[in-house]
Amino acid sequence: MEITQSQQPNPTLSPAPSPAETTATQINSDFEMFLQMLTAQMQYQDPLNPIDSTDYATQLATFSGVEQAVKTNELLETLTTQMGGGSLADMAALVGKEARAAVPAYFDGAPINLTPKTTAVGDTRVLVVTDAQGLEVGREIIPNGEEDIAWAGVTSTGAPLSAGLYSFSVETLSFGEVIAQDPIQVYSRVTEVRFDAGTTTLLLEGGAKVPSDQVTALRDPA
């Protein structure tokens, strides 16, 4: 008896998705689809030339390997999160310390100690003070070198400034021309430590923020 095989499309497996882009939900859905396609493949195979059983085993092994890779990635993400939490716990000990960075400092009426450091050599150095809106509120000539100075919180005319955040920089002049302007680092008390998107951020007194990798020194409060 002659057997006529109807021409049916031979289902094939689609390429396995990348483990880095596959979630557990997608894997479960893909596994159901895989079983349906495998069943259809067995149903429509040529009876005179059936698919070798080793092919089925290979397909199952391939899908299982992808599933294991996804689970491994999920485990790594969990470990990364736990390590980040541990890092945050360590950084929490910084709360209450004073961190030095090139950020605005909070002025509450008490003088702020500054250490102007310059990247150029000139004949004159000028301390420039700006408020939270970026407006210049003070300018005064300071000694050359890197000696500490105490900013009293007054304008160029000697008028007292209100409490708030102020930024500091030093202009280096040579024969009356500005040849460099460098930010001045100040010490501020750490009030909070945050861990967002893999970055540890320190919140300072007055509301200023600074990434932990931009802090150049730490000390106990004076």
Side-chain angles (χ1 to χ4, degrees), residues 37-72:
M37 297 178 68
L38 185 62
T39 301
Q41 190 175 21
M42 297 174 63
Q43 179 180 355
Y44 294 109
Q45 66 179 327
D46 186 352
L48 299 179
N49 185 26
I51 299 176
D52 195 305
S53 60
T54 57
D55 292 338
Y56 294 122
T58 300
Q59 294 175 16
L60 287 171
T62 300
F63 189 88
S64 177
V66 173
E67 186 178 20
Q68 290 300 320
V70 172
K71 291 182 178 179
T72 299

Side-chain angles (χ1 to χ4, degrees), residues 72-153:
T72 299
N73 283 349
E74 292 176 349
L75 178 59
L76 289 174
E77 291 178 0
T78 301
L79 290 175
T80 300
T81 302
Q82 292 175 348
M83 292 176 65
S87 177
L88 181 61
D90 295 337
M91 296 293 286
L94 299 179
V95 175
K97 300 284 188 180
E98 290 186 341
R100 186 180 69 187
V103 294
Y106 183 72
F107 173 68
D108 59 1
I112 297 178
N113 292 324
L114 307 174
T115 305
K117 295 185 178 181
T118 57
T119 57
V121 178
D123 51 48
T124 305
R125 295 198 311 166
V126 177
L127 172 66
V128 181
V129 184
T130 56
D131 61 14
Q133 287 71 43
L135 301 176
E136 183 176 311
V137 295
R139 176 180 288 264
E140 62 181 282
I141 296 177
I142 58 177
N144 288 324
E146 296 184 355
E147 296 84 0
D148 290 350
I149 61 174
W151 180 67

Side-chain angles (χ1 to χ4, degrees), residues 2-64:
E2 181 181 359
I3 299 177
T4 302
Q5 172 65 32
S6 60
Q7 297 297 323
Q8 298 288 346
N10 186 22
T12 56
L13 291 177
S14 58
S18 171
E21 300 175 355
T22 306
T23 63
T25 301
Q26 291 172 328
I27 277 292
N28 292 334
S29 176
D30 290 344
F31 184 68
E32 295 295 332
M33 179 62 68
F34 172 78
L35 292 179
Q36 294 177 12
M37 297 178 68
L38 185 62
T39 301
Q41 190 175 21
M42 297 174 63
Q43 179 180 355
Y44 294 109
Q45 66 179 327
D46 186 352
L48 299 179
N49 185 26
I51 299 176
D52 195 305
S53 60
T54 57
D55 292 338
Y56 294 122
T58 300
Q59 294 175 16
L60 287 171
T62 300
F63 189 88
S64 177

Side-chain angles (χ1 to χ4, degrees), residues 128-179:
V128 181
V129 184
T130 56
D131 61 14
Q133 287 71 43
L135 301 176
E136 183 176 311
V137 295
R139 176 180 288 264
E140 62 181 282
I141 296 177
I142 58 177
N144 288 324
E146 296 184 355
E147 296 84 0
D148 290 350
I149 61 174
W151 180 67
V154 296
T155 65
S156 302
T157 60
L161 291 168
S162 59
L165 287 173
Y166 294 91
S167 299
F168 307 92
S169 62
V170 56
E171 290 182 352
T172 302
L173 288 74
S174 179
F175 299 102
E177 294 186 2
V178 177
I179 59 175

